[in-house]
Amino acid sequence: MVRLKTSAGFFLGALVGICQTVAWRGPISGIVHDAPSHSLRQVVGVPGGAYLGAPLRANVESAAISPDGNAAVATEDGRAILIEELRNDSPLVRELADVGEISAAAWGVNSGVAVIYSASSRRVWRITIGTEAPDALVAEPGLPEGEVASVATDADGTRVLVSLRHPENGGIYEMVDGSAVRVVQTPAPGAIVFSSVRSEFLALDNGERRVLKLSSSEPGAWEQIDLASDEDQAGELKGLAVSKDGRNLYVAADGRVLIYDLGGRFLSSQIDLPAAPDRVAELAAADAVYVLTSRQKSEEPLWILDARRVPSVFFVPAGE
């Protein structure tokens, strides 16, 4: 059974938003980057009664926030920065020299390391909390020509994968000794995530409309995950995530969230949405809660999947 929470959550969120003046009052469910306001904002409250709080930091064009919600790599005023102690009144901000604007980024599950791709240099960088300078994982001339759809890393940043879209160069690449080595050839790869429980990477392949499993212990080793298909599926697979216990796979596709049982490899349930999901990304500082959409306009809500008990979807009004 799945549930969709709508108007009740909006009403409560709107009332709280009117009364709320202090950013940190009330429970904090997570932190997101909000495109319309170009800022980092809190998701305040509980599912069904949450709202987007006041900006924590403004003038942020893009950002990837650590799983624990205490750090972020971001593009601010055209420069790449690392923000530490994000939830403190005076966070530490350091410019990431030579990186350029951040085009894609991902954090290790322990929040101690992040990987960054910059389209301006076509290079991949690794940033470790507490170190002075980013580490370039790909030397000149950088990645082959193409569009990077996703980057991913294991828990400690030892292995880094990139999905690159291109008719000839497309595929999933691994960063090895300063070079990008293609381990899977496909013109339209999608999101890649790391499952710490299963110690493996999972990736979307829109060229073949499939899910791939890449070993974290055997570089270059991969296999296709055969999941029971939904015959009326069409369109692009937009995002995926693996549950904390490694049992479920969440896939955003065709205005729905598809939930697969990874052990039995079958479609266990699906949730239809009034807004097309474009991602399944963990909500920073939250547990088993995922962001499904990116707001493009100030009047749009944020759609979120709560997978802690019975999977359910709710929306978060801006509270502006």
Side-chain angles (χ1 to χ4, degrees):
M1 176 181 179
V2 296
R3 293 177 288 186
L4 182 64
K5 302 179 181 179
T6 55
S7 58
F10 179 86
F11 179 71
L12 179 57
L15 288 180
V16 175
I18 292 172
C19 300
Q20 181 68 39
T21 58
V22 179
W24 291 108
R25 183 182 299 164
I28 301 169
S29 301
I31 304 172
V32 296
H33 174 258
D34 184 49
S37 63
H38 300 285
S39 66
L40 302 180
R41 300 177 69 173
Q42 309 156 73
V43 177
V44 183
V46 296
Y51 68 99
L52 280 178
L56 294 173
R57 189 174 185 86
N59 302 318
V60 179
E61 288 96 45
S62 64
I65 306 166
S66 63
D68 63 7
N70 206 35
V73 287
T75 298
E76 184 178 81
D77 298 325
R79 63 193 180 110
I81 61 171
L82 170 65
I83 307 172
E84 299 180 68
E85 300 182 21
L86 175 60
R87 292 186 286 179
N88 290 347
D89 292 335
S90 300
L92 305 176
V93 180
R94 176 162 54 91
E95 184 172 358
L96 301 173
D98 302 324
V99 170
E101 293 190 20
I102 297 173
S103 306
W107 283 85
V109 295
N110 296 330
S111 299
V113 62
V115 292
I116 291 174
Y117 170 72
S118 175
S120 59
S121 65
R122 301 213 308 267
R123 298 174 75 182
V124 180
W125 306 79
R126 177 171 51 212
I127 292 92
T128 303
I129 294 294
T131 59
E132 289 298 320
D135 177 23
L137 298 181
V138 179
E140 298 289 354
L143 285 174
E145 181 181 354
E147 175 193 1
V148 167
S150 179
V151 297
T153 183
D154 57 8
D156 58 6
T158 302
R159 293 192 64 196
V160 175
L161 300 180
V162 174
S163 64
L164 183 75
R165 295 183 174 185
H166 190 273
E168 289 82 32
N169 301 329
I172 297 174
Y173 287 77
E174 182 169 0
M175 308 304 104
V176 180
D177 296 330
S179 300
V181 178
R182 184 161 58 178
V183 295
V184 178
Q185 183 173 353
T186 178
I192 310 174
V193 296
F194 177 71
S195 171
S196 57
V197 172
R198 292 175 172 267
S199 190
E200 64 192 17
F201 292 90
L202 296 175
L204 293 177
D205 177 12
N206 277 292
E208 299 291 337
R209 198 173 177 83
R210 60 184 178 175
V211 177
L212 304 176
K213 180 177 73 173
L214 295 97
S215 170
S216 66
S217 58
E218 301 178 50
W222 66 275
E223 65 177 274
Q224 179 173 328
I225 297 180
D226 295 317
L227 298 172
S229 63
D230 183 352
E231 296 300 331
D232 66 351
Q233 286 184 33
E236 186 177 358
L237 303 173
K238 292 288 188 176
L240 83 165
V242 182
S243 62
K244 293 291 186 181
D245 58 11
R247 295 179 179 178
N248 294 319
L249 178 69
Y250 309 109
V251 179
D254 315 323
R256 296 174 289 177
V257 178
L258 307 174
I259 304 174
Y260 291 96
D261 182 299
L262 276 176
R265 298 194 175 184
F266 62 89
L267 182 66
S268 59
S269 60
Q270 68 179 40
I271 305 175
D272 295 325
L273 296 177
D278 59 13
R279 66 191 60 202
V280 186
E282 288 184 288
L283 177 61
D287 184 34
V289 180
Y290 304 89
V291 178
L292 300 177
T293 60
S294 54
R295 292 194 335 129
Q296 300 302 319
K297 300 178 181 179
S298 59
E299 64 269 20
E300 292 178 344
L302 189 69
W303 289 90
I304 289 181
L305 170 68
D306 180 4
R308 290 175 293 180
R309 297 180 182 85
V310 177
S312 59
V313 169
F314 63 99
F315 69 82
V316 180
E320 296 168 328

